[in-house]
């Protein structure tokens, strides 16, 4: 029984619990969306309320965002809110512009402890797709987009459209079909653009396009700091972490002690923000606010104004002197109660001077005396100031000034005895701007027999005086505003100049490097005087003084001209005056001569040579270089010389004015060209044409030599006339030989073999040898010469051909013969008979030799 009651009680409790839950579920209220609005193109703000009957401290809501009329859910989120809040707010950011399509929101309450509420009704913000229009609408357009974000771009068509590609910049993207009329693309991680932005268009053929900019929100400023220079106005400076990429999009504002705001001047870089210093206020709280289309950022500086005072002089004046100058700084500000320190810096030299002074509320001047300066020297000075205990203020701009010139006279004299005895005084001033300060020059001449000096004022820097033996001293000094400068002195009566041999020198691209031997009598200094030769003095006379222990001087090439001869005279100084120590002449750079020699029109001509003569002044001072010699060019003008061959001969002595050209052909035309030469080359030449004479002696030789040879041969042959006596007439009757009448065939063969040559000889041997069989050798002995050697040629028949053979017997040379040989003779009789037949059939059956013999030496 008890068990049954227990079961019944349990079921009752359960039923009551279920009943309570059902009752509780029925009392959960639905959130009420009281407002839904678009804050801009991207943000949607929703506000809702919840019944205060809910006892939960923190409430969780589920919010859904839908698009288009179909309420396609594109985003769902859970948010927590305190239940005590009367109105809850949520801002949702869309990737797709809200103008493209309708966006709707609904909310419900969800909780783990109780049943979730029902969804609220959809609340809608309508896009522009529902507005009547006849053209394509593009969103976003003319907007500033955030760098690195994902953005959707849409095109709204008046009617349904089928589109596959849309373009962002020059890149096409796949189309997202939002609705039949709305097409979109998604661009991820967009990059920052320049001031010209980026374009977006729906179709390549259409003109409709959107133009947008991609930027980034402002970043926190760096080194934000405020200071003052005069305690009347303050300014703030800072650095940008990243320079803005869009013009006029970023704004700067100063919030001064939360009391007022000051807009900054954006026309300068960096943009300074200025504000007025508040009298009697020491502590300041300054906030810099930086804003642009994508956000805002700020930085704060809290400071005491007395710690940020950095005075800067407004004006500084310089009064230049010769060895010192006066610099005055001017400070204008409210520095009352502050101890100021100002400082100057001089360059070159790095001289720094400090000056302390109590500040005031009026204009203050700080005067500095700069000493130990050099005359006629450019300096720069700048200044800065500070409040004692603070850092220095910034330097002023450098002020350039030039000290006053110290006018000194560099005096020199040039003494001449011809054509008149004169002394020319020349001087230079040390000051670089001497003509601005020098009014005149005072020249005074002292005489030995007079106590007073004769003085004159001139405005030029040279004067010519008549030389007098009684002159003792000449002084020159400049007249300037402050009086006279220190006088320069010279001695007009120097003792006799020492005659020195002239030395030739040559310059280079750097100039002249002069050297001279040390003069033991020189005690004062050396003076190097130079001038261009061929030009009237003293217009081009220059000089330079060097210490007595120096024996060299380098002269800059820019002060000299090429191709001009200069004369350098080195003078040594002692208590007696000046005397010439050395003389040197030379060119900075030699050039080719510009003058040409004059050829004599009547040279001495032979059949093989021409003796040229010319006139030329090789010592002329106007030459462009030292004349080293002459170049003679000979051109063969004959018709046989088609190649126009020429030869050149050089004459190395410039003082030689004649030259014989040998090795020429007789009776030929030759053109002779003569040019003067320097080390740089030869100058223009002068030309003349001459014909060589005929060589009559050679004609006589050419005629007499053959006659003499012929006569000699006749004499030689006459002495051997008996050689032909005693020969049988039958064998030799057919030859009909006369004096040197050779057989025609034998002559032709000899000509081909080139053995019959005319040669000088003591006597000639003519030998006629009978052709004998090989087995028989007949020796014909000369009655006068028993030691003669004989030659027996071999005869072979019937084959007959010319051969050449040489036998050397005693003094026998140049042997020519013709042999006809018959082979395989059966017997001696047949050979003899055949030989006779050959003799009767041919005109040349014998060998004739002409030998030239020379006596043994």
């Amino acid at each position: 029984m008890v068990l049954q009651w227990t079961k019944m009680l349990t079921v009752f409790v359960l039923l009551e619990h279920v009943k309570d839950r059902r009752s509780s579920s029925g009392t959960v209220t639905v959130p009420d969306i009281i407002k839904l609005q678009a804050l801009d193109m991207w943000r949607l703000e929703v506000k809702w309320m919840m019944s205060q009957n809910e006892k939960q401290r923190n409430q969780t809501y589920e919010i859904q965002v839908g698009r288009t009329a179909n309420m396609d859910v594109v985003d769902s989120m859970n948010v927590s809110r305190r239940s005590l809040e009367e109105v809850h707010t949520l801002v949702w950011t869309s990737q797709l512009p809200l103008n493209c399509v309708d966006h709707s929101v609904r909310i419900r309450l969800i909780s783990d402890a109780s049943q979730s509420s029902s969804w609220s009704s959809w609340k809608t913000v309508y896009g522009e797709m529902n507005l009547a229009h006849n053209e394509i609408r593009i969103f976003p357009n003319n907007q500033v987009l955030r760098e690195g974000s994902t953005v959707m771009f849409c095109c709204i068509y008046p009617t349904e459209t089928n589109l596959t590609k849309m373009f962002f910049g020059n890149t096409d993207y796949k189309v997202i079909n939002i609705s039949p009329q709305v097409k979109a693309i998604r661009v991820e991680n967009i990059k920052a653009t320049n001031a010209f932005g980026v374009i977006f268009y729906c179709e390549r053929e259409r003109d409709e396009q959107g133009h947008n900019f991609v930027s980034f929100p402002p970043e926190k400023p760096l080194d934000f700091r405020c200071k003052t220079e005069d305690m009347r106005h303050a300014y703030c400076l800072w650095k940008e972490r990243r320079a803005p990429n869009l013009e006029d999009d970023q704004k700067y504002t100063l919030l001064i002690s939360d009391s007022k705001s000051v807009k900054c001047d954006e026309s300068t870089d960096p943009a300074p923000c200025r504000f007025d210093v508040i009298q009697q206020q020491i502590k300041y709280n300054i906030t810099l606010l930086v804003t642009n289309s994508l956000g805002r950022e700020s930085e704060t500086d809290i400071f005491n104004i007395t710690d940020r005072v950095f005075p800067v002089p407004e004006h500084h004046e310089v009064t230049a002197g010769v060895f010192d100058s006066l610099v005055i700084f001017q400070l204008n500000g409210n520095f009352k109660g502050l101890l100021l320190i100002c400082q100057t810096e001089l360059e070159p030299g790095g001289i720094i001077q400090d000056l302390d002074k109590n500040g005031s509320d009026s204009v203050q001047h700080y005067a500095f005396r700069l000493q130990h300066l050099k005359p006629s020297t450019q300096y720069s000075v700048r200044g800065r100031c500070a409040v004692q205990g603070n850092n220095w203020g910034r330097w002023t701009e450098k002020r350039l000034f030039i000290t006053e010139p110290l006018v000194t006279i560099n005096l020199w004299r040039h003494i001449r005895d011809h054509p008149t005895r004169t002394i020319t005084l020349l001087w230079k001033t040390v000051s670089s701007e001497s003509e601005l300060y020098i009014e005149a020059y005072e020249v005074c001449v002292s005489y030995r027999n007079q106590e007073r000096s004769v003085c004159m004022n001139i405005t030029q820097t040279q004067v010519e005086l008549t030389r007098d033996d009684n002159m003792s001293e000449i002084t020159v000094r400049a007249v300037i505003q402050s009086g006279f400068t220190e006088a320069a002195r010279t001695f007009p009566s120097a003792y006799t100049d020492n005659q020195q041999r002239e030395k030739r020198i040559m310059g280079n691209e750097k100039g002249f490097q002069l050297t001279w031997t040390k003069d033991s009598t020189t005690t004062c200094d050396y003076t190097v005087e130079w001038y261009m030769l061929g030009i009237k003095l003293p217009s081009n006379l220059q000089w330079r003084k060097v210490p007595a222990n120096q024996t060299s001087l380098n002269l800059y090439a820019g002060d000299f001209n090429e191709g001009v001869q200069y004369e350098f005279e080195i003078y040594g100084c002692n208590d007696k005056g000046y005397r010439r120590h050395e003389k040197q002449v030379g060119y900075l750079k030699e050039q080719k001569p510009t003058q040409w020699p004059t050829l004599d029109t009547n040279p001495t001509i032979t059949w093989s040579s021409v003796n040229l003569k010319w006139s030329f002044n090789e010592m002329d001072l106007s030459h462009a270089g030292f004349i080293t010699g002459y170049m003679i060019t000979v051109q063969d003008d004959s018709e046989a010389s088609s190649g126009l061959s020429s030869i050149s001969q050089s004459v190395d002595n410039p003082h030689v004015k004649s030259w014989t050209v040998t090795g020429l052909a007789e009776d030929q035309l030759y053109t002779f060209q003569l040019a003067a030469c320097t080390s740089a080359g030869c100058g223009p030449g002068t030309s003349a044409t001459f014909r060589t004479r005929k060589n009559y002696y050679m004609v006589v030789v050419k005629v007499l030599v053959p006659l003499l040879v012929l006569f000699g041969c006749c004499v030689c042959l006459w002495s051997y006339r008996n050689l032909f006596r005693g020969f049988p007439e039958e064998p030799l009757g057919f030859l009909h030989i006369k004096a040197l009448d050779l057989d025609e065939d034998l002559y032709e063969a000899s000509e081909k073999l080139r053995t019959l040559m005319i040669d000088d000889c003591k006597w000639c041997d003519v030998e006629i040898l009978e052709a004998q069989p090989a087995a028989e050798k007949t020796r014909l002995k000369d009655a006068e010469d028993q030691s003669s050697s004989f030659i027996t040629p071999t005869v072979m028949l019937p084959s007959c051909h010319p051969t050449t053979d040489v036998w050397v017997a005693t003094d026998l040379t140049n042997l020519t013969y013709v042999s006809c040989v018959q082979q395989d003779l059966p017997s001696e009789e047949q050979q003899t008979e055949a030989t006779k037949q050959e003799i009767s059939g041919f005109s040349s059956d014998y060998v004739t030799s002409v030998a030239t013999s020379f006596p043994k030496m």
Side-chain angles (χ1 to χ4, degrees), residues 564-617:
V564 177
Q565 186 175 354
Y566 289 88
E567 181 174 301
F568 302 88
E569 295 190 9
I570 296 94
Y571 292 85
C573 169
N574 54 27
D575 55 353
K576 295 181 181 180
Y578 289 92
R579 75 181 183 93
R580 189 171 66 183
H581 176 56
E582 284 189 15
K583 179 181 179 181
Q584 302 177 7
V585 294
Y587 293 84
L588 177 66
K589 183 178 180 181
E590 289 190 85
Q591 296 180 348
K592 296 179 181 180
T594 57
Q595 303 178 21
W596 53 87
T598 301
L599 274 172
D600 187 1
T601 57
N602 296 315
T604 301
I605 302 175
T606 67
W607 61 272
S608 61
S609 65
V610 175
N611 180 255
L612 298 176
K613 296 180 181 179
W614 62 87
S615 59
F616 187 73
N617 185 8

Side-chain angles (χ1 to χ4, degrees), residues 41-189:
M41 185 178 292
W42 310 98
R43 296 182 301 162
L44 189 64
E45 183 185 52
V46 57
K47 293 184 178 182
W48 72 94
M49 295 181 62
M50 194 65 188
S51 174
Q52 297 297 326
N53 295 331
E54 299 299 329
K55 298 179 180 180
Q56 298 179 5
R57 184 174 183 83
N58 292 326
Q59 299 171 344
T60 303
Y61 297 91
E62 182 181 2
I63 303 175
Q64 289 184 345
V65 180
R67 284 181 183 153
T68 71
N70 298 329
M71 302 302 174
D72 299 328
V73 177
V74 296
D75 198 2
S76 179
M77 70 203 80
N78 294 338
V79 295
S80 297
R81 293 292 185 267
R82 297 178 61 184
S83 60
L84 299 179
E85 295 177 356
E86 182 177 357
V87 178
H88 304 294
T89 303
L90 174 69
V91 177
W92 176 76
T93 301
S94 174
Q95 292 182 352
L96 181 69
L98 301 177
N99 310 66
C100 297
V101 71
D102 298 343
H103 286 75
S104 302
V105 177
R106 67 176 182 176
I107 306 176
R108 70 172 180 174
L109 176 65
I110 59 174
S111 176
D112 295 336
S114 61
Q115 184 179 359
S116 299
S117 69
S118 301
W119 286 102
S120 66
S121 301
W122 288 100
K123 195 79 170 181
T124 303
V125 173
Y126 297 98
E128 297 188 16
M129 59 176 294
N130 300 317
L131 300 178
H133 55 86
N134 297 324
E135 58 184 11
I136 300 176
R137 294 188 177 185
I138 298 175
F139 297 98
N141 185 23
N142 199 24
Q143 296 292 313
V144 178
L145 310 177
R146 185 184 293 268
E147 179 187 26
S149 62
T150 299
V151 182
M152 296 182 68
F153 298 82
C154 73
C155 294
I156 303 175
Y157 287 84
T159 59
E160 295 184 7
T161 302
N162 185 16
L163 195 63
T164 59
K165 289 184 179 181
M166 295 170 63
F167 299 88
F168 178 77
N170 294 324
T171 306
D172 60 283
Y173 289 83
K174 185 178 180 180
V175 173
I176 302 173
N177 189 18
I178 303 297
S179 71
Q181 294 177 251
V182 181
K183 311 297 178 183
I185 61 173
R186 182 191 303 273
V187 180
E188 297 179 352
N189 192 23

Side-chain angles (χ1 to χ4, degrees), residues 527-738:
T527 299
V528 180
E529 173 189 273
W530 71 90
Y531 48 87
M532 289 187 292
L533 295 176
I535 300 179
K536 182 181 179 181
L537 293 176
S539 60
N540 66 334
L541 188 144
Q542 300 292 330
W543 71 95
R544 185 81 60 84
K545 293 184 179 181
V546 297
N549 59 354
Q550 180 177 332
T551 58
S552 63
L553 178 63
N554 294 331
L555 299 177
Y556 178 56
D559 298 332
F560 298 88
N561 298 326
E562 296 181 359
V564 177
Q565 186 175 354
Y566 289 88
E567 181 174 301
F568 302 88
E569 295 190 9
I570 296 94
Y571 292 85
C573 169
N574 54 27
D575 55 353
K576 295 181 181 180
Y578 289 92
R579 75 181 183 93
R580 189 171 66 183
H581 176 56
E582 284 189 15
K583 179 181 179 181
Q584 302 177 7
V585 294
Y587 293 84
L588 177 66
K589 183 178 180 181
E590 289 190 85
Q591 296 180 348
K592 296 179 181 180
T594 57
Q595 303 178 21
W596 53 87
T598 301
L599 274 172
D600 187 1
T601 57
N602 296 315
T604 301
I605 302 175
T606 67
W607 61 272
S608 61
S609 65
V610 175
N611 180 255
L612 298 176
K613 296 180 181 179
W614 62 87
S615 59
F616 187 73
N617 185 8
E618 69 277 6
M619 303 304 295
D620 191 349
L621 299 179
S622 62
H623 287 317
F626 294 116
I627 302 299
T628 59
Y630 307 91
M631 179 61 67
I632 301 174
T633 303
V634 183
Q635 179 73 45
D636 188 355
D637 293 343
S638 64
E639 296 180 357
S641 179
S642 58
L644 297 178
S645 59
S646 62
I647 58 175
S648 297
Q649 298 181 5
S650 61
V651 181
D652 297 331
N653 189 347
H655 305 293
V656 172
K657 303 298 174 60
S658 65
W659 190 261
T660 300
V661 180
T662 60
L664 306 180
E666 63 174 313
D667 195 24
Q668 296 291 340
L669 277 175
Y670 290 94
T671 297
F672 299 87
Q673 185 175 10
L674 177 66
C677 301
T678 65
S679 61
C682 298
T686 178
S687 300
T689 302
F690 304 106
R691 180 184 291 275
T692 56
R693 301 182 183 277
K694 289 186 179 181
N695 189 357
Y696 295 101
Y697 301 102
M698 185 59 66
V699 174
V700 173
V701 170
K702 289 181 180 180
V703 173
L704 290 179
V705 167
L707 294 178
L708 292 175
V709 171
L710 181 60
F711 178 77
C713 291
C714 292
V715 171
C716 291
L717 292 176
W718 180 258
S719 62
Y720 290 93
R721 64 187 181 276
N722 295 328
L723 181 64
F724 298 99
R725 299 176 181 177
F727 283 95
E729 295 182 0
E730 292 82 1
L732 301 178
F734 65 92
L735 291 176
H736 307 286
I737 295 177
K738 297 181 181 180

Side-chain angles (χ1 to χ4, degrees), residues 385-629:
C385 297
V387 174
Q388 190 175 30
N390 293 350
N391 294 331
W392 287 101
R394 59 183 175 87
W395 287 102
T396 62
E397 295 292 332
K398 290 184 177 181
R399 175 71 179 273
L400 299 177
F401 68 95
I402 301 176
T403 54
E404 294 290 331
L406 175 64
V407 182
T408 57
I409 304 298
N410 180 8
L411 180 63
W412 180 240
R413 88 288 181 275
H414 184 76
I415 299 176
R416 288 180 294 177
D417 293 330
H418 301 285
T420 59
R421 299 183 65 190
T422 59
I423 176 170
T424 302
L425 297 177
L426 303 99
W427 60 87
K428 302 175 184 177
T429 57
V430 173
S431 174
S432 59
E433 296 179 349
S434 58
E435 63 274 7
L436 299 178
Y437 302 94
I438 298 175
E439 299 177 0
Y441 296 94
E442 183 185 67
V443 179
C444 296
V445 181
S446 301
Y447 296 90
R448 294 185 178 89
N449 55 358
Q450 297 180 6
E451 294 182 358
R452 65 182 183 88
S453 301
V454 178
C455 299
M456 67 184 75
N457 289 341
I458 60 175
T459 57
Q460 298 178 349
T461 58
Q462 65 181 43
V463 63
E464 188 172 285
L465 304 175
T466 302
R467 186 179 177 187
D468 191 343
D469 294 337
N470 293 323
M471 287 182 176
S472 60
E473 186 182 62
I474 300 177
T475 61
V476 177
R477 59 180 179 174
V479 181
I480 58 177
Q481 294 179 354
S482 58
F484 293 95
T485 63
E486 185 178 355
R489 291 174 171 80
T490 187
F491 304 99
S493 56
Y495 56 95
T496 305
D497 288 339
N498 185 18
Q499 299 295 330
Q500 297 288 338
R501 183 179 178 182
E502 182 177 280
K503 176 183 176 182
R504 287 188 175 184
I505 61 174
M506 190 61 61
N508 52 36
E509 66 276 2
K510 295 182 180 180
F512 285 100
Q513 288 76 44
L514 301 179
T515 59
W516 57 89
T517 59
K518 184 175 179 59
D519 185 11
S520 58
T521 62
T522 298
T523 58
C524 305
D525 53 36
Y526 291 101
T527 299
V528 180
E529 173 189 273
W530 71 90
Y531 48 87
M532 289 187 292
L533 295 176
I535 300 179
K536 182 181 179 181
L537 293 176
S539 60
N540 66 334
L541 188 144
Q542 300 292 330
W543 71 95
R544 185 81 60 84
K545 293 184 179 181
V546 297
N549 59 354
Q550 180 177 332
T551 58
S552 63
L553 178 63
N554 294 331
L555 299 177
Y556 178 56
D559 298 332
F560 298 88
N561 298 326
E562 296 181 359
V564 177
Q565 186 175 354
Y566 289 88
E567 181 174 301
F568 302 88
E569 295 190 9
I570 296 94
Y571 292 85
C573 169
N574 54 27
D575 55 353
K576 295 181 181 180
Y578 289 92
R579 75 181 183 93
R580 189 171 66 183
H581 176 56
E582 284 189 15
K583 179 181 179 181
Q584 302 177 7
V585 294
Y587 293 84
L588 177 66
K589 183 178 180 181
E590 289 190 85
Q591 296 180 348
K592 296 179 181 180
T594 57
Q595 303 178 21
W596 53 87
T598 301
L599 274 172
D600 187 1
T601 57
N602 296 315
T604 301
I605 302 175
T606 67
W607 61 272
S608 61
S609 65
V610 175
N611 180 255
L612 298 176
K613 296 180 181 179
W614 62 87
S615 59
F616 187 73
N617 185 8
E618 69 277 6
M619 303 304 295
D620 191 349
L621 299 179
S622 62
H623 287 317
F626 294 116
I627 302 299
T628 59

Side-chain angles (χ1 to χ4, degrees), residues 13-25:
V13 172
L14 291 174
L15 290 175
E16 287 296 329
H17 181 69
V18 171
K19 183 177 178 181
D20 291 338
R21 290 195 61 181
R22 289 180 178 177
S23 177
S24 176
S25 176

